[in-house]
Amino acid sequence: MLRSPRLPFLSAAALGFACLALSPFAHGGTPESAGPIELLDAHLHGGRWEAAREAALILIARNRTTPLASGLAPAVARLALAEAGLGKQEDAVWHWHLAQNLDRSVLEGKALTAYGPPGELLARNSLRRADEAPAGWTVLASTDPEVKPGRLLSGPAPKLSAEVAAIAAPKGLKLQAVIDTEGRLHDPVVIGGEVPGVVWEVLEGLRSWRYEPARKGDQPVSVFRSVTINPPAKKPLGELVELSGGLAKVDGLLRAGQWKDARESSQSLWQQSFDLANTGQDQKDLAAVLALRALADAGLGMEDEAVCRWQAAQHLTPNLYDINLSVYGPAGELLEKNRWGEPAGRFDGNPKVEAKPKVLYPKTANPVRLQGGFVMVATVGANGGVRHPIVAWMQGLSMDPKVHVSQSSVNRLLAASALDTVCGWHFRPGNTAGRPAAYQTVVTGFILTSPLGARFIPAADGFAGRGPTDLRIEGLPRKGRDMDPLHPIWGQGPPPP
């Protein structure tokens, strides 16, 4: 039971609204159970290939801003099936690989071959693994001393749509592709990238790239090639945020390797960031403080918390992705390997998991009374640590009449509280065929803060008519669909139907 009688709960009206708003995730709604997917499948099974293709493109456009890889993958997979039915084999295989880059478990086995010849075609063209040659190909490493890699001849940097560009996360992406003997890019495998819409739009843009063929001696050869999109600029922190006062002090402690003092000072700054009573201004330094806390955690060997907070800071303020971490010694080296988009472990099949998060509560009270509901998506890494936490939806409310702050400021503070809280959790890792495997999970709930402390109240299935103290955490991986958020943190939200 989660009980705290001294802390305020949501009013009945607010609780009912939040339950309604969170219901698509709380009740395990999936694209497969939604009307558009059923319509798509009806077109596909009826052989209406062009109608299925058009419907798939519409659904992809609507789902580009979903934080769940499994929310976009089903539509892309069905686009591939429609193209296979139209005889467009090259397009079909490309989009099938793209769908599997989003979610390798999409339309597995019999679920795929149930679509007849188009499904059978795709089943014969599964996505390869990194460093694995496509079936029937001989592919050399571009680092082979006998291989002269070719240069890029044409290919503009992929341009993101306004909807995807607005997503609150860095847009970095790493992949490995095969460049064939004619210089064309084949079989891309995404190695790092946690924004589904970026994966979709970048891979669509890469289809037109052409390279000078690599050669071994006088003969053109196929090679593996690494491609990085939107790499970090690696600027000093002082060029990204104003370093003064407490921020400058903590930054100096971190550069000097004084991890314990830096952690104590950064935690004090974190609590001060929630005090809006005096200024009433948006807390622009909130993400920078979280990044400094991550560095202090890293210096003290708290790897899971450090990586999670570092990635959460980049979600709150995406330009922190560009920090130069080399000046922070071993702590910076750890976080450098875990910038946003670095792999937390690829989603491999449909892993079995048993998730038992350890819920931690902040020891220090927040000065302002706030409350709100949220939906969060996180990746659970192969070791069970939380990676790439994302606030997909947030509805906040200030309960202190003396504090006059904007709705966006309340939402940002509550989002930061939610992100910081889940960074203290640890899940049992998923496994596929006895091997640890990463997966995405959805967490819904409420954050309540007051001078007495901060409180996380998780939501779960079947909570209608029950009080918040009876809610239990549901940590199993779920597939989800976009919502119609009133105050989205993640992107712009889907357009109306």
Side-chain angles (χ1 to χ4, degrees):
M1 293 292 183
L2 298 175
R3 301 187 181 276
S4 181
R6 296 181 296 174
L7 287 175
F9 289 132
L10 292 172
S11 68
L15 177 60
F17 170 79
C19 292
L20 177 63
L22 301 179
S23 61
F25 282 125
H27 295 289
T30 70
E32 288 82 348
S33 65
I37 287 291
E38 292 178 348
L39 177 62
L40 258 172
D41 282 340
H43 286 322
L44 291 169
H45 289 302
R48 298 185 294 275
W49 309 117
E50 186 57 39
R53 177 181 173 276
E54 292 176 0
L57 289 171
I58 291 172
L59 190 56
I60 289 168
R62 291 183 62 189
N63 285 348
R64 280 178 301 174
T65 60
T66 176
L68 278 170
S70 57
L72 183 59
V76 179
R78 285 163 174 82
L79 173 63
L81 286 164
E83 290 169 335
L86 290 168
K88 300 179 178 180
Q89 180 172 337
E90 185 174 327
D91 291 341
V93 172
W94 180 272
H95 286 131
W96 174 232
H97 288 167
L98 202 161
Q100 290 183 294
N101 269 305
L102 291 165
D103 181 4
R104 280 191 181 267
S105 67
V106 65
L107 293 179
E108 288 183 300
K110 293 181 180 179
L112 181 61
T113 55
Y115 291 91
E120 294 169 3
L121 168 67
L122 300 188
R124 295 193 298 270
N125 289 276
S126 294
L127 179 67
R128 68 184 181 88
R129 306 284 177 180
D131 298 322
E132 177 183 74
W137 288 47
T138 298
V139 183
L140 304 179
S142 58
T143 55
D144 188 321
E146 297 184 15
V147 172
K148 180 182 178 182
R151 59 188 177 89
L152 180 65
L153 297 176
S154 64
K159 186 176 180 180
L160 301 178
S161 66
E163 294 82 3
V164 171
I167 289 173
K171 311 305 185 300
L173 187 146
K174 291 185 176 182
L175 61 91
Q176 184 196 70
V178 173
I179 309 301
D180 69 12
T181 56
E182 296 179 357
R184 297 188 303 168
L185 188 148
H186 285 271
D187 295 82
V189 175
V190 174
I191 298 171
E194 296 295 323
V195 182
V198 172
V199 173
W200 160 256
E201 294 189 355
V202 166
L203 291 190
E204 284 295 89
L206 293 182
R207 294 186 68 181
S208 64
W209 282 21
R210 293 293 181 270
Y211 287 83
E212 177 185 2
R215 292 184 177 276
K216 185 173 183 178
D218 295 331
Q219 297 297 315
V221 292
S222 298
V223 294
F224 295 115
R225 191 175 189 110
S226 297
V227 178
T228 300
I229 304 296
N230 298 326
K234 297 189 177 181
K235 300 178 180 179
L237 180 58
E239 292 186 17
L240 301 174
V241 299
E242 182 180 348
L243 273 182
S244 60
L247 281 176
K249 175 185 176 182
V250 175
D251 185 65
L253 291 171
L254 290 168
R255 289 169 180 262
Q258 298 179 33
W259 311 118
K260 184 177 179 180
D261 290 343
R263 185 166 188 263
E264 291 176 356
S265 296
S266 61
Q267 285 179 321
S268 177
L269 278 181
W270 180 254
Q271 294 301 326
Q272 294 173 24
S273 298
F274 284 82
D275 188 357
L276 302 182
N278 296 324
T279 65
Q281 301 296 316
D282 290 353
Q283 302 301 287
K284 298 178 181 178
D285 294 336
L286 199 61
V289 176
L290 196 57
L292 295 178
R293 288 182 63 200
L295 282 163
D297 288 344
L300 292 171
M302 302 166 61
E303 179 173 346
D304 284 338
E305 293 89 343
V307 171
C308 182
R309 290 192 172 107
W310 163 228
Q311 293 171 346
Q314 294 169 83
H315 171 36
L316 282 173
T317 301
N319 72 347
L320 293 179
Y321 170 75
D322 290 321
I323 295 176
N324 177 13
L325 296 168
S326 64
V327 298
Y328 299 106
E333 292 176 9
L334 172 63
L335 299 194
E336 177 65 40
K337 299 175 183 177
N338 291 278
R339 287 185 192 268
W340 188 278
E342 293 292 337
R346 300 310 305 157
F347 311 135
D348 184 6
N350 192 7
K352 297 178 181 179
V353 300
E354 181 182 357
K356 293 184 178 180
K358 181 180 180 182
V359 182
L360 302 178
Y361 303 104
K363 295 181 180 179
T364 307
N366 291 332
V368 180
R369 296 174 61 181
L370 303 170
Q371 65 180 6
F374 69 91
V375 175
M376 184 178 297
V377 176
T379 298
V380 178
N383 69 340
V386 176
R387 299 290 186 268
H388 297 103
I390 297 161
V391 177
W393 178 91
M394 174 65 69
Q395 174 66 39
L397 174 68
S398 171
M399 301 182 294
D400 192 335
K402 298 179 182 180
V403 177
H404 301 285
V405 296
S406 66
Q407 182 66 61
S408 62
S409 186
V410 172
N411 284 358
R412 185 172 176 81
L413 289 168
L414 286 168
S417 289
L419 290 164
D420 185 48
T421 297
V422 301
C423 285
W425 290 2
H426 194 273
F427 291 76
R428 291 190 179 182
N431 69 83
T432 300
R435 296 181 293 109
Y439 61 93
Q440 280 188 309
T441 188
V442 177
V443 177
T444 64
F446 308 98
I447 286 287
L448 301 103
T449 73
S450 81
L452 298 175
R455 178 85 162 144
F456 171 74
I457 303 174
D461 293 342
F463 52 74
R466 299 190 311 183
T469 56
D470 294 322
L471 303 183
R472 295 185 299 274
I473 186 67
E474 175 59 70
L476 296 178
R478 293 181 179 140
K479 297 182 180 180
R481 62 183 175 191
D482 267 351
M483 302 170 58
D484 183 18
L486 297 179
H487 300 285
I489 299 292
W490 180 265
Q492 298 296 311

